[in-house]
Amino acid sequence: MTESDVIVIGAGIVGAACAWQLAKHGQRVTLIDDGHAGATAAGMGHLVCMDDDPAELALSAWSLARWRELTPRMPQNCAWHGCGTLWLAENEQELALAQEKQQRMAGHEVVSEMQTRAQVAAREPLLTPNLAGGLWVPGDGIVYAPNVARWFIDDAAQAITCVNEGAVSIDAPQVVLESGKRLRARVIVVACGLGANALLQENWLRPKKGQLAITDRYGATLNHQLVELGYGASAHAGGTSVAFNVQPRPTGQWLIGSSRQFDTLDRELDLPLLATMLQRARHFLPAIASLNIIRCWSGFRAASADGNPLIGPHPSRPGIWLALGHEGLGVTTAPATAELLCAQILGERPAFAPDAWLPARLIRQEASA
């Protein structure tokens, strides 16, 4: 039976960051992954400060500060691009929302600047002229998340042993692999997204399907990640929704999102919903109508019951720790998640109190409902 200090299950961006952080703190880590593409491979790779509730804001702002320390070290294939985010307001009511967003982010030392209609047009001439203004957040950016996950693993390779096989069950302190082999560690971190439900035989997560489209290469025609101010409301809505979000990729392509559908694991493209998403994008960027879209795909976000991640000890199974439920913010919040989890596992004091992200909160919420 193979033994290490920590087993991490899932080598997406969150699991890789957790393995990296634990290895940097002297732990011998075994990283298990079944090789199936998950949310890290399917997503947009944005690093964006979100402020839809205090816990989300605290975690994303904290993590973005860590990304600013990491990105200068990453190789070119991680495709880091500090393009910032331009949040777009269609009317005066949304401009007021932008001002509120600015005030909330300022409380976490996130720099942003209100933008007039003319300033938005000067920053992005291809946008529709019918906008009231917006909010510019210069510290946001984008990365190519699959390569960043690999970089985390390679950067701590001396302390991380990779196992390319699926885990089928956990009986702490052991993990059973598909081959029947058993691995043992005093700490087992579950960071395998939606696969955690089957692995743990518990329903911690709900799937949120999303669809994306990418254009051909047209050069540097956009300067910022562009997001409508209604994005947050769309992201946390209970049903099917779309919202405008376009990224300029370093390749000269436009990555176009986004859509959300609850409780489906059907990977087939929903063509009517995709059409609605692209129509929403054309509303803000009319030039999209003339661009060649070369690929569309779908993926699945893993959502917790209250929309915030589960970071901490399993409430009833000693030795098992969770790093799950990041929805569309797994890339943004991976470094802070890893730091928070590592501090708890090693008995150190994290930068923020972990209460807002402890898995046990959902048990308490269910009991009080």
Side-chain angles (χ1 to χ4, degrees), residues 145-356:
N147 283 354
V148 176
R150 284 189 282 271
W151 175 77
F152 275 129
I153 297 166
D154 292 344
D155 191 59
Q158 290 184 337
I160 298 175
T161 300
C162 294
V163 175
N164 300 317
E165 188 177 348
V168 295
S169 66
I170 301 174
D171 184 14
Q174 298 180 36
V175 174
V176 181
L177 302 180
E178 291 171 335
S179 63
K181 183 177 181 179
R182 293 174 179 266
L183 305 180
R184 181 184 178 97
R186 65 179 182 84
V187 171
I188 298 169
V189 177
V190 181
C192 53
L194 289 171
N197 283 352
L199 183 61
L200 295 167
Q201 294 295 295
E202 298 167 351
N203 292 319
W204 287 103
L205 304 167
R206 295 174 66 189
K208 271 190 179 181
K209 181 179 178 178
Q211 300 183 129
L212 294 171
I214 195 164
T215 71
D216 212 336
R217 301 178 182 223
Y218 292 98
T221 51
L222 293 177
N223 302 308
H224 310 79
Q225 176 169 226
L226 303 174
V227 189
E228 64 172 294
L229 275 155
Y231 179 91
S234 169
H236 294 288
T240 299
S241 63
V242 300
F244 172 67
N245 183 5
V246 169
Q247 290 178 357
R249 300 303 302 180
T251 55
Q253 297 169 282
W254 294 9
L255 182 56
I256 306 167
S258 63
S259 69
R260 279 174 169 78
Q261 293 169 280
F262 261 119
D263 299 325
T264 177
L265 289 173
D266 182 1
R267 286 197 172 272
E268 290 295 317
L269 289 171
D270 183 325
L271 295 180
L273 185 62
L274 181 63
T276 301
M277 185 186 85
L278 294 174
Q279 182 179 12
R280 187 64 180 164
R282 287 195 300 270
H283 173 74
F284 286 90
L285 277 171
I288 283 177
S290 64
L291 303 185
N292 182 34
I293 292 174
I294 61 171
R295 188 165 75 94
C296 301
W297 67 95
S298 67
F300 300 96
R301 311 170 184 91
S304 73
D306 66 2
N308 278 311
L310 311 171
I311 309 169
H314 191 289
S316 60
R317 298 170 68 173
I320 297 177
W321 297 72
L322 306 184
L324 301 167
H326 294 74
E327 236 179 281
L329 281 179
V331 180
T332 294
T333 59
T337 294
E339 188 173 317
L340 180 61
L341 190 76
C342 181
Q344 292 179 80
I345 288 171
L346 299 181
E348 300 173 354
R349 184 173 181 175
F352 283 83
D355 300 37

Side-chain angles (χ1 to χ4, degrees), residues 49-51 53-64 108 333 336 352-353 356-357:
C49 186
M50 294 293 289
D51 65 320
D53 66 52
E56 181 180 71
L57 173 57
L59 193 66
S60 60
W62 171 17
S63 208
L64 285 166
H108 286 264
T333 59
F352 283 83
W357 305 286

Side-chain angles (χ1 to χ4, degrees), residues 32-209:
I32 300 172
D33 192 79
D34 61 10
H36 296 154
T40 297
M44 295 186 81
H46 51 207
L47 308 180
V48 57
C49 186
M50 294 293 289
D51 65 320
D52 296 309
D53 66 52
E56 181 180 71
L57 173 57
L59 193 66
S60 60
W62 171 17
S63 208
L64 285 166
R66 296 298 181 267
W67 275 118
R68 284 190 283 275
E69 298 169 2
L70 290 171
T71 51
R73 297 179 50 201
M74 296 189 312
Q76 189 173 0
N77 69 356
C78 290
W80 155 248
H81 180 29
C83 56
T85 300
L86 191 57
W87 293 87
L88 304 175
E90 292 195 84
N91 50 49
E92 293 301 320
Q93 289 78 13
E94 290 189 349
L95 267 183
L97 293 176
Q99 291 173 332
E100 294 170 6
K101 179 185 285 287
Q102 182 183 39
Q103 292 169 2
R104 287 191 295 268
M105 291 195 299
H108 286 264
E109 300 182 352
V110 177
V111 174
S112 62
E113 295 180 17
M114 290 295 297
Q115 302 288 290
T116 65
R117 182 194 306 266
Q119 286 173 317
V120 167
R123 287 187 176 279
E124 296 290 358
L126 294 180
L127 282 167
T128 177
N130 302 319
L131 297 172
L135 180 70
W136 176 45
V137 186
D140 290 353
I142 59 174
V143 292
Y144 183 58
N147 283 354
V148 176
R150 284 189 282 271
W151 175 77
F152 275 129
I153 297 166
D154 292 344
D155 191 59
Q158 290 184 337
I160 298 175
T161 300
C162 294
V163 175
N164 300 317
E165 188 177 348
V168 295
S169 66
I170 301 174
D171 184 14
Q174 298 180 36
V175 174
V176 181
L177 302 180
E178 291 171 335
S179 63
K181 183 177 181 179
R182 293 174 179 266
L183 305 180
R184 181 184 178 97
R186 65 179 182 84
V187 171
I188 298 169
V189 177
V190 181
C192 53
L194 289 171
N197 283 352
L199 183 61
L200 295 167
Q201 294 295 295
E202 298 167 351
N203 292 319
W204 287 103
L205 304 167
R206 295 174 66 189
K208 271 190 179 181
K209 181 179 178 178

